[in-house]
Amino acid sequence: GGRLPPDKIVGCCERNCISHKRLILNMLKIVSNKALVLNKKVNYLTMKTLRQKICNYLLDLNKNSDSENLLLPLSRNEMAEFLNVSRPSLSREMCRLRDEGIIEFHRISVRIINLPLLIKLCE
């Protein structure tokens, strides 16, 4: 196959070219992002209840957003898989959160209505 030897990637280029530096930086960014995602996934797996998982997931999305409307980066199936829960259980619990006035949602958009309560439910 067309595998690139590791020393060609991480070793220094004798020409010290900008493209080589960019390749290394991009690869480090990909690896570190993957490590962060896996770390978050492990964190969600240690949570006891489905409600805690969903609330923490939404709170994490909220931390990285400057809008009150959060766009879910994952489909419901992907979100259920990421949180290690069944799709119907995820939908049921999100509906409960909606019915309790904590969130509103439509398709891939979620709006947190009661942030203090959502934070409390994360504990």
Side-chain angles (χ1 to χ4, degrees):
R3 292 191 58 165
L4 196 58
D7 60 310
K8 293 287 184 193
I9 297 170
V10 295
C12 288
C13 176
E14 59 274 354
R15 288 179 283 164
N16 205 16
C17 61
I18 195 76
S19 301
H20 194 233
K21 288 178 184 175
R22 174 59 58 201
L23 173 69
I24 292 171
L25 284 174
N26 287 345
M27 290 184 66
L28 285 172
K29 196 178 293 183
I30 290 167
V31 169
S32 65
N33 284 342
K34 183 74 170 171
L36 285 172
V37 168
L38 290 173
N39 188 41
K40 282 186 184 211
K41 190 168 185 174
V42 166
N43 194 29
Y44 292 128
L45 289 174
T46 61
M47 293 174 193
K48 291 182 177 75
T49 68
L50 172 56
R51 180 169 277 227
Q52 277 183 314
K53 291 178 183 188
I54 294 170
C55 291
N56 276 282
Y57 181 75
L58 294 175
L59 200 56
D60 281 344
L61 289 178
N62 188 55
K63 287 176 190 170
N64 297 323
S65 176
D66 44 1
S67 169
E68 66 177 30
N69 286 322
L70 308 174
L71 294 179
L72 297 175
L74 303 173
S75 71
R76 288 286 198 278
N77 284 337
E78 291 168 332
M79 188 173 159
E81 186 178 306
F82 181 74
L83 297 175
N84 198 36
V85 298
S86 74
R87 164 79 164 79
S89 297
L90 173 70
S91 293
R92 224 179 357 263
E93 193 59 41
M94 286 191 67
C95 287
R96 284 188 191 119
L97 291 168
R98 179 197 60 206
D99 296 345
E100 292 170 24
I102 299 166
I103 63 171
E104 283 180 350
F105 62 88
H106 180 72
R107 297 186 183 225
I108 65 165
S109 176
V110 174
R111 189 165 74 92
I112 299 172
I113 298 170
N114 190 335
L115 184 60
L117 185 51
L118 183 77
I119 292 169
K120 189 171 189 233
L121 292 173
C122 287
E123 300 167 354

